[in-house]
Amino acid sequence: RKLLQLGVKTAVVKCGEKGCVIGDADGIRRIPAYSAAKCVDTTGAGDTFVSGFLWACAEGMPVDACARFACAAASVAVEHIGAAGEGCSLEEIWKRYHREQDPAFRE
């Protein structure tokens, strides 16, 4: 709320395993983390979240979708040891994004 009061148009606050909170002209809302992630190492999860969010923004996705995509990306990162991005593919992020949107989603 304070960031919005200071003039920030969109604020995204990462909340680890709880996902994130978005604040903008549409209000403040929580976006949950990807629910099925098996955490092994959180190294690089924040950077992966930010890069996923920015990538989705660059693709023209709405803010809430960007946040869900970022949560899906971070969930891939925490399932691998280290911050090198091993095993973190765009394909896997999309699968998780769609699976979280529609639990009936089939790969």
Side-chain angles (χ1 to χ4, degrees), residues 3-107:
L3 291 170
L4 297 175
Q5 290 169 355
L6 292 171
V8 172
K9 301 233 185 280
T10 302
V12 180
V13 178
K14 300 181 290 110
C15 302
E17 66 187 27
K18 293 183 172 111
C20 67
V21 174
I22 297 173
D24 61 13
D26 294 331
I28 297 174
R29 58 228 175 259
R30 180 172 295 280
I31 303 295
Y34 177 74
S35 60
K38 306 278 189 279
C39 185
V40 174
D41 183 3
T42 61
T43 305
D47 292 335
T48 304
F49 177 95
V50 171
S51 62
F53 188 91
L54 294 174
W55 183 88
C57 284
E59 291 294 307
M61 295 170 67
V63 172
D64 287 19
C66 292
R68 286 190 291 275
F69 186 85
C71 287
S75 77
V76 175
V78 301
E79 291 186 340
H80 299 88
I81 295 174
E86 182 178 330
C88 193
S89 70
L90 185 58
E91 179 183 0
E92 181 61 26
I93 296 167
W94 274 121
K95 283 180 187 175
R96 290 177 187 215
Y97 173 84
H98 289 298
R99 196 177 301 133
E100 203 67 7
Q101 299 303 303
D102 178 7
F105 174 74
R106 300 285 182 247
E107 299 167 22

